[in-house]
Amino acid sequence: MLSRGFSLIEVLVALMILGLGMLGIVALSMHGQRAYVESTQRSEAVRYVEEMADRIRANTQVALDPTFIRFYVDPAGSATPDLLGDGSEFDNVLGASPTGVNCNAAVCTPQQLAQFDRAWWDGLLSGQISQVGLLGAVGCITQVAGAVPRARVSVAWQGMRETADSGGANGPFAAITCGDVAFAGDLASRRLVTLEVAL
């Protein structure tokens, strides 16, 4: 008599194929989750850069005198960028014991407004104003020389995995050094968003 049904070997082979398919689905799901987090971080960084660029444009003194951007580059007015993101400037202006002028509560000069804007951005990047989704966020503002004066606003942060870093010595963004010091040992996982503002 001819028996019908599956043998034990056929069942095991089917289970193995099903198991391999399930592993592929799990790997695809993890890859999709990582891509989602990376894109969310990039969107957040773009928003931070645009908000600071808007604050620079809103300061009327920048429009009158493009060299005024130096107070956004560094609170003391030097040409060397002072990095933001550790929360120290936020504490000086908006913290519990402020030493600077809070432009939300007082009338400010354009220079005080520049320092207030920097402090606000420092608090944003360090997670003191709102919960930040960027790991090790560093903000930089630099003045770009040229026929049309420009300010370069950049945010660097640590990504979830290594990539080919385009900010290296031979990369297309070699001139943008934001985060080079903070991520000196791990440039391959650095992410960078930059926006240039015409003054």
Side-chain angles (χ1 to χ4, degrees), residues 4-101:
R4 299 190 182 264
F6 297 105
S7 69
L8 184 57
I9 293 175
E10 290 170 327
V11 170
L12 289 175
V13 168
L15 285 174
M16 186 179 76
I17 292 171
L18 181 66
L20 289 174
M22 294 300 285
L23 284 175
I25 291 172
V26 168
L28 184 64
S29 174
M30 288 173 51
H31 179 73
Q33 180 66 23
R34 189 180 309 122
Y36 170 75
V37 171
E38 289 272 359
S39 68
T40 302
Q41 288 177 333
R42 186 165 302 280
S43 297
E44 191 168 1
V46 167
R47 184 174 58 90
Y48 291 167
V49 166
E50 288 176 344
E51 286 180 4
M52 189 59 190
D54 287 343
R55 285 179 173 263
I56 291 171
R57 286 186 201 106
N59 192 328
T60 55
Q61 186 63 34
V62 175
L64 296 173
D65 178 11
T67 63
F68 186 81
I69 193 65
R70 68 187 182 278
F71 292 109
Y72 281 95
V73 171
D74 176 75
S78 78
T80 305
D82 192 18
L83 300 181
L84 295 161
D86 65 355
S88 59
E89 288 192 35
F90 175 82
D91 291 338
N92 288 341
V93 175
L94 296 163
S97 302
T99 56
V101 179

